[in-house]
Amino acid sequence: MLGSGSAFSGCGHNSAYCVDGRILVDCGCAVQVQMPRAGLAVGEVTTVLLTHFHADHTYMLPVFLGARALEVRSPTPLRLAGPHGIEEYVRRLVRTGYGAGLHALIEENLRPATVVLQDGSDVTVDGYRIRAHAVVHSTGPSLAYAVTAPDGVTVGFSGDSEICAGLRRCVAATDVMVCECTSFDGPLASHIWAGEVSELVESFPRTRFVLSHLSDRRPLEGALVAHDLLTLEIPPPG
Ligand SMILES: [Zn+2]
């Protein structure tokens, strides 16, 4: 858990998570700082998965890509995967942040492959199966992901969402769900709050919940509340 805070609360860094040091989910915080602190290396990320195109989930992507492009040793091939429009969005983000020069360097050194995902997408990258579920949020296409590691463990990421069918499908497919919990005090438009998390915990007893995208930290029965740099080791099913 590289960043566990909600967009504006200051409760933690903005959203970013990493599975096995290889799959980076969202890039809202300075992952080139947070990954080494977690004992991980930016150069070993093979896939970046974006849940949606809000700033608190994506605005450090140009910095991550720059860090990768400027690495001296030969970088691992990189895939950028996310909702429809990802290629144009990332291009604009990099060019706005750093101009055409760094964009060209990233293209030349990394040659990042783009993978467009949508509801129902089911792809395997480097032995990790990624299933995408459309969720309801306040911006364009937004996706939750279920990521199954080669050892059979499935970790889910809600991104930002309301309670909706896609989110429930994602939770049902996961052993551990990194679930948004933006409020503890009451409903919030386009987001999930603690009361709704409790309902999910009750509805999906097989799934363990880790709460993130936090604007506060309070205990919630049946769930673990994340903090920045929390590392979880999840035993294989059975
Ligand atoms: Zn957010």
Side-chain angles (χ1 to χ4, degrees):
M1 317 283 293
L2 301 172
S4 62
S6 65
F8 310 114
S9 68
C11 196
H13 286 285
N14 280 162
S15 290
Y17 313 99
C18 197
V19 180
D20 293 346
R22 301 172 70 84
I23 314 274
L24 181 65
V25 181
D26 284 341
C27 199
C29 66
V31 298
Q32 84 283 6
V33 176
Q34 291 295 76
M35 287 189 70
R37 285 178 174 166
L40 306 171
V42 291
E44 283 169 16
V45 172
T46 62
T47 304
V48 180
L49 272 179
L50 297 182
T51 58
H52 63 292
F53 301 146
H54 269 161
D56 59 310
H57 297 254
T58 60
Y59 267 22
M60 282 296 116
L61 188 59
V63 176
F64 166 75
L65 293 173
R68 281 292 295 264
L70 292 165
E71 274 194 344
V72 178
R73 64 195 168 85
S74 158
T76 310
L78 188 68
R79 236 171 260 102
L80 301 175
H84 182 74
I86 181 170
E87 193 162 9
E88 174 62 17
Y89 179 77
V90 172
R91 183 187 306 118
R92 274 193 290 128
L93 205 57
V94 172
R95 285 181 169 240
T96 302
Y98 292 108
L102 188 75
H103 186 247
L105 189 75
I106 288 168
E107 287 296 316
E108 194 182 315
N109 288 3
L110 300 182
R111 299 187 184 283
T114 305
V115 182
V116 177
L117 300 171
Q118 58 186 354
D119 191 35
S121 290
D122 188 338
V123 298
T124 299
V125 292
D126 291 331
Y128 290 78
R129 181 182 176 192
I130 296 165
R131 281 165 286 172
H133 300 277
V135 294
V136 177
H137 187 45
S138 55
T139 182
S142 298
L143 297 171
Y145 296 113
V147 179
T148 304
D151 66 1
V153 171
T154 300
V155 184
F157 298 91
S158 66
D160 289 0
S161 175
E162 297 175 9
I163 297 293
C164 59
L167 181 77
R168 289 177 179 279
R169 279 198 302 275
C170 187
V171 174
T174 60
D175 301 303
V176 174
M177 184 75 194
V178 178
C179 188
E180 175 196 356
C181 184
T182 302
S183 161
F184 281 87
D185 292 319
L188 207 59
S190 303
H191 288 286
I192 301 166
W193 79 286
E196 291 164 330
V197 173
S198 292
E199 286 171 28
L200 290 173
V201 168
E202 218 168 279
S203 304
F204 297 93
R206 201 189 67 80
T207 301
R208 310 290 290 274
F209 286 79
V210 182
L211 308 187
S212 189
H213 204 272
L214 303 162
S215 45
D216 197 357
R217 281 195 177 74
R218 300 184 205 166
L220 192 141
E221 200 175 329
L224 183 68
V225 179
H227 56 79
D228 292 354
L229 300 179
L230 172 68
T231 298
L232 298 170
E233 295 214 10
I234 306 165

